[in-house]
Amino acid sequence: MADAIDDAKRALRADLRERRQQHSEATREAAAAGVKAQLDALVDRLGARSVSCFLSTPTEPGTHEFITDATARGIRVLLPITRVDGLLDWAVADPTGDIAEGLFGVPEPVGEVLSPSAVNDVDLLIIPAAAVNRTGMRLGWGRGYFDKTIGSMERCPPVYAVIFDSELIDEVPRDLHDQPVTGVVTPTQTITLAPARR
């Protein structure tokens, strides 16, 4: 059974990855602007003073402008740093700080490293996803970092996955360890799908 779920996840991820690579530069720029507007509104609505966010890759809906602007507005933004043991360390976003390639080729901050528990203080988690279904089940990229983080938090704040509009789908394959999200942020809308877990 687990093999069938893994196979279904792999196939769906491959399809989604290929679709993302076909986006034009103009589409990506528009998506980044839309995501920034949606995230700004979400942060304001939740009154979040501290958030975690990811540094987007070139094919993901862009988060860099949101991060830069949020730090300029005095919001504390924690950025993830992958570890070989499957956990995430964190660093406070610094607009003048360097960005390097992390373990799996994703952009990560260079700077003072905070432990995995640093994320327990945030008011909002903004995470990547390949797709999310309409009940909030998230399909990640297969390494389990964010599932482990969400699953280990004593008091989990709202969790929103950033995806393209077409990646909110009817069904995603689900494993026991997969964690649902509160909602999604797309370039055109923010949708709450499940109650936040406090």
Side-chain angles (χ1 to χ4, degrees):
M1 183 65 185
D3 284 348
I5 293 170
D6 287 345
D7 290 346
K9 284 183 173 185
R10 250 192 308 278
L12 183 53
R13 283 188 192 111
D15 179 49
L16 293 163
R17 192 174 281 118
E18 188 175 323
R19 281 199 232 162
R20 283 187 174 189
Q21 289 167 343
Q22 292 172 355
H23 288 306
S24 68
E25 192 60 39
T27 299
R28 289 186 181 132
E29 285 174 15
V35 163
K36 180 187 179 309
Q38 294 295 326
L39 287 174
D40 285 344
L42 178 63
V43 166
D44 289 346
R45 182 165 56 83
L46 296 176
R49 300 304 309 146
S50 178
V51 303
S52 77
C53 192
F54 64 101
L55 288 164
S56 56
T57 65
T59 59
E60 289 177 310
T63 58
H64 295 258
E65 290 172 36
F66 163 74
I67 293 165
T68 300
D69 189 57
T71 57
R73 291 191 295 144
I75 295 167
R76 183 174 186 256
V77 181
L78 291 184
L79 302 172
I81 301 170
T82 49
R83 295 176 12 165
V84 291
D85 64 1
L87 299 176
L88 291 172
D89 282 329
W90 301 89
V92 178
D94 175 0
T96 62
D98 288 334
I99 296 173
E101 197 171 280
L103 272 184
F104 302 103
V106 298
E108 294 183 355
V110 176
E112 182 187 348
V113 176
L114 306 175
S115 75
S117 65
V119 78
N120 287 322
D121 296 334
V122 301
D123 305 316
L124 168 66
L125 286 166
I126 301 163
I127 66 173
V132 176
N133 77 8
R134 298 184 186 282
T135 64
M137 278 315 303
R138 168 186 171 268
L139 176 69
W141 293 107
R143 309 220 187 263
Y145 282 94
F146 289 97
D147 288 316
K148 282 189 193 100
T149 298
I150 295 165
S152 70
M153 295 179 80
E154 284 176 30
R155 288 175 53 251
C156 189
V159 182
Y160 280 79
V162 177
I163 55 174
F164 288 101
D165 288 280
S166 62
E167 294 163 350
L168 179 60
I169 59 179
D170 291 333
E171 220 173 292
V172 297
R174 179 183 184 181
D175 237 326
L176 286 175
H177 66 268
D178 292 334
Q179 298 289 327
V181 295
T182 311
V184 295
V185 172
T186 79
T188 65
Q189 58 189 336
T190 299
I191 306 171
T192 300
L193 300 166
R197 296 171 291 189
R198 274 275 175 203

